[in-house]
Each structure stands twice: as structure tokens, then as C-alpha cells.
């Protein structure tokens, strides 16, 4: 088996207590391109039957997904 | 749950070629190819350009219905809009990706693979007998497969790799955010591709015009968001297209991400291989990934088939795939990545000056190699990088 994923520190089960902000997606704007998924350090974003889902429990509020979205579909809101 | 030998997730170029090659290498195997979208090849998230030699390893382009245009020139556009024409024989092709991807999928089916569209993999777990149970949902409801080898050819999302415990994340500086219109009724050289650099146009990336025919082209750009002035890719594109082609009809629109990084640290796990964009197998200088994906798919399909025949699908055995890929192209991508990093230090003034010196060379003697040489004379800090590149 694997030795565990490289950079696996992100995947610690105790990864956050409370983030002040979390990312939300506007599905009317999102094009389902998938670009934001690999940008998210705690892997909190995925697509479900092509609709983007942000796991509010897993999101650390780091904002790494926001600016790269080509259409501006992601924004931060108070957690 | 249906038992299959090879389950390929994603019917892009990587997945379709992987399925075809697994089946050809071992015709007795059950090979299933899943595609989430309801049509293979649509929507198109691509500028559709490929080099001639790479394409010919997989399909014969002359007269093919999935080709849009043959390309015989490259026109570099400096930040100040001055143009440098470079003629190269047999530069490449602009594909019709919807038809091309469907053509590749049809080759897989002709080889004996089963294709299911409108069907997505939604998760996977290891079964006690050392296979993968893959949950699937879509047009026919929910079901699951048990597979000896799962090939993750699921593009930038790369969920199969994630489910298998591989690290498929990308640093923000190595993600290009792209937006593209199909623009119709515009004037340009239909035998050339145009590439424009410049901080105001596409910071950290470039903008392109890839002809699909006379007067119609894919017009898009890719940028690194960390370097942008706060606008997103679509806003940069609106500004560029508005300035360059104010009278053009924007008849189509797409966005997407291009991972300009290097191959993921590990492309295999027990019973899993990842290929194409899902494994970051993209040329980090050009952003081209179609031919890379097909080459990786061919390796992945053949490796999976041989492993199943040998009765050993452990990570140890599947590691041969990773080594073969690194020798074929992965090492080259590491070199291109270093060049990309060095280019990040040069500014618009450099590109403008380079365009002027290169335009002083007669056009028939202008080759990409000579342009590179001139770049080095103007920018000696690139020499160590270039040395690593050529040695
Ligand atoms: C704007 C833009 C322009 C580009 N221009 C060029 C270019 O000119 N030349 C070039 O060579 N490259 C270009 N690229 C890159 C190129 O498009 C990719 O490298 C190439 O498509 C990679 O092929 P692939 O098979 O790995 O992935 P993809 O073509 O992305 O295929 C992955 C497939 O998997 C499916 N999928 C994903 N998850 C699941 C799931 N869970 N279950 C089932 N199916 C799933 C997706 O729907 C998709 O069809 C461009 C990319 C972008 C975004
Ligand atoms: S990057 Fe933007 S458009 Fe693409 S999937 Fe994420 S939210 Fe949607
Ligand atoms: S803000 Fe950070 S943690 Fe939250 S979804 Fe975006 S990238 Fe992931």
C-alpha cells in the first residue's frame, strides 16, 4: 500500500475548529469546469452529478478557490 | 455488483485511448468506460490545437471529419501588438474536439470496450478481495462495479486519484484559469495560430486565436489568478476580444482550468492508475494536454491489461506505469517547468524588444530555434535554464 499521501498533513482529521468564513458557490454562474477542485487544500470541493458542492464543515476559509474561478462563481460568506 | 476487469472513469482522450489499448492488449478482459456528460466530447473545454507528429501516433488527420483546420504558421503577438510570423512545415491541426473525442471513444468500443454515457463514478472503496468497489450513478439510477483496476482519466477534477489516496492538488501559481469564445465573422490568417503575451492581456499565461475555419476561431486566454489585477479570466477575455475583434459574433463560450505543473508524485496505487489531466500530465510551457493524455492512456491501458493477465495488480507492479511515463514525457515536463519559472521573471518590455530583433531576421530564416537564441542574447539569465533544457 501507499505510505500515505504526500502533503497528507492537510488531511488530518482534526483539521479545523471553526473557520470565520466559508466558500459558497453561485450555481447560476458556475460552469462546472472543475478547476477549483484541485486548488482546495482540505479537498472540500467536489462535483455531484455535475453540480458543485462545497463541504462547509471541511472548508477552512483559505480563499484559494475564489480568484482562480474563471467566472467569479465562488465567494466567501460568514461561517 | 457487476464484475469488470478494467473500469475507466472519464471518456476524454486519456480514458478512451486507455480503454481501447487495454482491450487490444488483452481481448479477454471486460473493459468499461464511464462518462459523466451525456455526450462524449461535449461540452468542449479546449482550444483544440495539436501538433502534427503527436496526433499521427493515434489517428490519421488528412481528410478526417474530426479535423477543423490545418495549421502551417505561428504568429507571436508581443504585448505592444507587434507581430512575429514564424513559418514551420506541418505545425499541426485544430481539431473538432466533440467529433474527435467521439471518434476515440468509438475506437474503444470497436475494440470491444463498453461505453456508458451520462454515468458518473461517485466514490470507491477497497473490497476485502483486493478489488475496488466503485459507486456509479446516472441515467440508469445508482449501481456499483467491482473492478480489478480502475483507471482515473477524469480530468482536472481527479477524484479517482483522491479516492485512492493520491495527492492530486495543485498550487494556485500552477493553475491557469481559462476562458474562451468561439468568434465568427472576423479577419485573420486562417492558416496560422496567434499567441499573445502580456501582463495586461493574460498575466502569467497567454491569449490565443486558433482558427476553426476562414473567419471563425477559438479566441481565448489563460492567466494565473495570483498575478491578475482582481479581474477574473472572463473579464480579461471580454476586454481583449472587445479590443481586437469588436465586430465579431461571440457564438460560443467555455471556461476551464489548465494545470501547468508537473506529473503528480505518484500516478498509481493498488489497483489504480491515473492518466492525463487527472495526473497533471500537461506540457507546463504550452498548456497542451491532448496528445499527452493519449500517450498516458496508451501506457495505462497496456499496463493494466498486462498486470491483470499476470494476476498482480498491486501498487508495486503498477509502478512500471509511472516509470514508463516519466521516461517518455514526465522528465521533459520537469525541464519545461523550470523554463516556465525562468520566463516568469521577464516582463513586457522584454517581449516587445524580442519581437523587434526577431523581425529583423528575414522571414524564411525565422525558426523557433533562432527566436530562442535571440531571447537568450537579450536575456542571459535564461541561459542556465536553456542549458538544462538542451542537455
Ligand atoms: C480552455 C482550454 C484550452 C485548452 N487548449 C488546449 C489545446 O489547444 N491543445 C491541447 O493539447 N490541450 C488543450 N487544453 C488541455 C486539454 O483540454 C486537456 O489536457 C485534455 O482534454 C486532457 O484530456 P483528459 O482525457 O485527461 O481529460 P478530459 O478531456 O478533461 O476528460 C475527462 C473526462 O472525464 C469525465 N469525468 C470526470 N469525472 C468523472 C466521473 N466522476 N465519472 C465519470 N466521468 C467523469 C469528464 O466529464 C470528462 O469528459 C486546453 C484546456 C482548456 C481548459
Ligand atoms: S472554478 Fe468556478 S466555474 Fe469552475 S467549477 Fe469551480 S466554481 Fe464552477
Ligand atoms: S476557501 Fe479554501 S478550504 Fe474553502 S473551499 Fe475554497 S479552497 Fe477549499
Amino acid at each position: 500500500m501507499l505510505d500515505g499521501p504526500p502533503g497528507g498533513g492537510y488531511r488530518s482529521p482534526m483539521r479545523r475548529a471553526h473557520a470565520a468564513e466559508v466558500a459558497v458557490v453561485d450555481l447560476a454562474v458556475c460552469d462546472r469546469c472543475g478547476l477549483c477542485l484541485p486548488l482546495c487544500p482540505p479537498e472540500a470541493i467536489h462535483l455531484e452529478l455535475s453540480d458543485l458542492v462545497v463541504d462547509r464543515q471541511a472548508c477552512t476559509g483559505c480563499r484559494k478557490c475564489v480568484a482562480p474561478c474563471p467566472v467569479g462563481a465562488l465567494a466567501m460568506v460568514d461561517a | 455488483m457487476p464484475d469488470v476487469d478494467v473500469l475507466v472513469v472519464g471518456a476524454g482522450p486519456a480514458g478512451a485511448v486507455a480503454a481501447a489499448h487495454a482491450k487490444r492488449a488483452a481481448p479477454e478482459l471486460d473493459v468499461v468506460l464511464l462518462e459523466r456528460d451525456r455526450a462524449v466530447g461535449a461540452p468542449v473545454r479546449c482550444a483544440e490545437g495539436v501538433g502534427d507528429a503527436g496526433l499521427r501516433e493515434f489517428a490519421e488527420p488528412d481528410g478526417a471529419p474530426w479535423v477543423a483546420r490545418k495549421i502551417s504558421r505561428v504568429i507571436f503577438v508581443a504585448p505592444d501588438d507587434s507581430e512575429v510570423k514564424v513559418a514551420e512545415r506541418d505545425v499541426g491541426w485544430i481539431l473538432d474536439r466533440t467529433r474527435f473525442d467521439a471518434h476515440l471513444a468509438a475506437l474503444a468500443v470497436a475494440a470491444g470496450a463498453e461505453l456508458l454515457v451520462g454515468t458518473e463514478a461517485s466514490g470507491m472503496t477497497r473490497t476485502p478481495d483486493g478489488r475496488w468497489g466503485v459507486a456509479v450513478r446516472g441515467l440508469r439510477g445508482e449501481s456499483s462495479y467491482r473492478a480489478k483496476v480502475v483507471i482515473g482519466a477524469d480530468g482536472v477534477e481527479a477524484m479517482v486519484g483522491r479516492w485512492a489516496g493520491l495527492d492530486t492538488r495543485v498550487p494556485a501559481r500552477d493553475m491557469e484559469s481559462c476562458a474562451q469564445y468561439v468568434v465568427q465573422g472576423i479577419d485573420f490568417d486562417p492558416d496560422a495560430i496567434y499567441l499573445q503575451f502580456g501582463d495586461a492581456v493574460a498575466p502569467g499565461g497567454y491569449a490565443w486565436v486558433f482558427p476553426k475555419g476562414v473567419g471563425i476561431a477559438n479566441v481565448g486566454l489563460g492567466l494565473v489568478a495570483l498575478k491578475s489585477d482582481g479581474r477574473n479570466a472572463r473579464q480579461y477575455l471580454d476586454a481583449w476580444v472587445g479590443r481586437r475583434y469588436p465586430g465579431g459574433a461571440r457564438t460560443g463560450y467555455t471556461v476551464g482550468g489548465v494545470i501547468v505543473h508537473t506529473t503528480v508524485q505518484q500516478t498509481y496505487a493498488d489497483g489504480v492508475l491515473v492518466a492525463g489531466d487527472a495526473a497533471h500530465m500537461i506540457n507546463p510551457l504550452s498548456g497542451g494536454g491532448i496528445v499527452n493524455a493519449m500517450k498516458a492512456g496508451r501506457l495505462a491501458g497496456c499496463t493494466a491489461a498486462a498486470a491483470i493477465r499476470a494476476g498482480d495488480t498491486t501498487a508495486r507492479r503498477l509502478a512500471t506505469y509511472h516509470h514508463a511515463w516519466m521516461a517518455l514525457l514526465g522528465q521533459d515536463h520537469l525541464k519545461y517547468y523550470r523554463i516556465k519559472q525562468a520566463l516568469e521573471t521577464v516582463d513586457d518590455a522584454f517581449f516587445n524588444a524580442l519581437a523587434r530583433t526577431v523581425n529583423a531576421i528575414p522571414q524564411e530564416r525565422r525558426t523557433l530555434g533562432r527566436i530562442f537564441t535571440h531571447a537568450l542574447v537579450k536575456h542571459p539569465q535564461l541561459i542556465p535554464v536553456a542549458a538544462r533544457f538542451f542537455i
Side-chain angles (χ1 to χ4, degrees):
Chain A
M1 253 321 263
L2 295 172
D3 297 323
Y10 284 121
R11 290 194 172 104
S12 150
M14 305 166 24
R15 70 192 144 215
R16 83 184 182 101
H18 287 288
E21 291 183 314
V22 291
V24 288
V25 62
D26 182 347
L27 286 176
V29 178
C30 169
D31 199 51
R32 284 79 172 154
C33 73
L35 175 154
C36 53
L37 273 71
L39 289 176
C40 175
E43 301 179 326
I45 312 177
H46 65 277
L47 285 161
E48 245 169 58
L49 289 174
S50 298
D51 271 351
L52 196 83
V53 179
V54 180
D55 177 348
R56 292 177 73 105
Q57 296 306 310
C59 172
T60 59
C62 74
R63 295 176 163 259
K64 287 205 164 117
C65 57
V66 176
C69 172
V71 290
L74 289 158
M76 304 305 292
V77 295
D78 289 340
Chain B
M1 83 171 80
D3 270 330
V4 297
D5 294 295
V6 182
L7 186 70
V8 184
V9 179
V17 170
H21 278 268
K23 194 68 192 174
R24 279 184 212 139
E28 75 280 10
L29 301 184
D30 285 325
V31 178
V32 171
L33 176 59
L34 301 183
E35 173 53 50
R36 170 197 286 142
D37 293 331
R38 284 163 188 239
V40 171
V44 175
R45 298 191 187 282
C46 186
E48 308 177 287
V50 284
D52 182 69
L55 175 62
R56 281 183 195 279
E57 286 186 35
F58 297 89
E60 175 57 56
D62 301 289
W66 39 260
V67 156
R69 194 82 195 165
K70 185 172 183 174
I71 300 301
S72 50
R73 279 186 282 281
V74 183
I75 300 177
F76 292 98
V77 186
D80 65 5
D81 286 347
S82 56
E83 295 189 352
V84 179
K85 282 199 181 79
V86 186
E88 300 261 325
R89 278 201 26 234
D90 301 328
V91 172
W93 304 84
I94 307 301
L95 302 173
D96 177 331
R97 275 281 310 262
T98 303
R99 287 182 172 186
F100 182 68
D101 286 17
H103 168 71
L104 293 180
L107 291 178
V109 171
E114 187 186 352
L115 168 68
L116 297 172
V117 294
T119 311
E120 83 173 359
S122 56
M124 55 190 228
T125 46
R126 200 85 175 129
T127 61
D129 61 354
R131 299 185 211 187
W132 284 100
V134 182
V136 161
R137 66 187 162 202
L139 296 177
R140 298 182 199 169
E142 303 202 2
S143 62
S144 63
Y145 282 89
R146 192 167 57 172
K148 289 179 186 156
V149 175
V150 179
I151 297 181
D154 45 348
V156 284
E157 294 162 49
M159 291 300 292
V160 169
R162 196 191 281 188
W163 292 325
L166 302 174
D167 192 352
T168 55
R169 289 167 300 174
V170 179
R173 64 171 184 279
D174 292 328
M175 177 64 85
E176 282 194 5
S177 302
C178 305
Q180 174 179 280
Y181 289 110
V182 178
V183 187
Q184 218 154 316
I186 55 176
D187 188 26
F188 60 92
D189 176 354
D191 301 320
I193 57 168
Y194 293 70
L195 307 171
Q196 180 162 30
F197 302 87
D199 280 340
V201 174
Y206 62 86
W208 62 79
V209 178
F210 282 15
K212 300 213 66 169
V214 176
I216 171 168
N218 291 330
V219 181
L221 57 79
L223 57 82
V224 176
L226 290 176
K227 298 184 179 170
S228 90
D229 58 11
R231 287 177 294 159
N232 60 41
R234 179 174 199 164
Q235 291 165 324
Y236 272 89
L237 179 63
D238 282 339
W240 192 62
V241 174
R243 181 169 67 81
R244 218 178 147 89
Y245 302 115
R250 303 174 196 181
T251 58
Y253 174 63
T254 191
V255 299
V258 175
I259 297 166
V260 283
H261 194 229
T262 54
T263 305
V264 294
Q265 288 286 314
Q266 195 172 318
T267 56
Y268 59 94
D270 283 316
V272 169
L273 296 170
V274 290
D277 280 12
H280 309 177
M281 291 165 169
I282 298 148
N283 178 333
L285 262 184
S286 68
I290 301 169
V291 171
N292 290 295
M294 292 193 289
K295 289 184 175 177
R298 181 173 58 195
L299 279 178
C302 293
T303 306
I308 292 169
R309 269 198 177 165
D312 178 4
T313 58
T314 60
R316 253 179 64 137
R317 160 100 199 190
L318 295 178
T320 53
Y321 164 70
H322 189 88
H323 303 314
W325 165 261
M326 292 311 287
L328 184 68
L329 281 166
Q331 300 290 354
D332 288 346
H333 289 181
L334 289 167
K335 291 181 203 159
Y336 299 153
Y337 184 76
R338 285 197 291 268
I339 296 176
K340 182 187 88 130
Q341 283 179 311
L343 284 174
E344 281 167 7
T345 64
V346 307
D347 57 9
D348 282 6
F350 163 73
F351 284 116
N352 291 334
L354 181 62
R356 281 194 296 276
T357 47
V358 171
N359 271 335
I361 311 172
Q363 198 172 320
E364 61 282 2
R365 288 180 44 227
R366 255 177 244 164
T367 61
L368 289 176
R370 284 212 178 87
I371 291 183
F372 204 59
T373 312
H374 276 258
L376 293 179
V377 170
K378 280 272 171 191
H379 249 269
Q381 78 263 36
L382 292 177
I383 289 175
V385 192
R388 280 203 299 267
F389 175 47
F390 286 114
I391 290 165

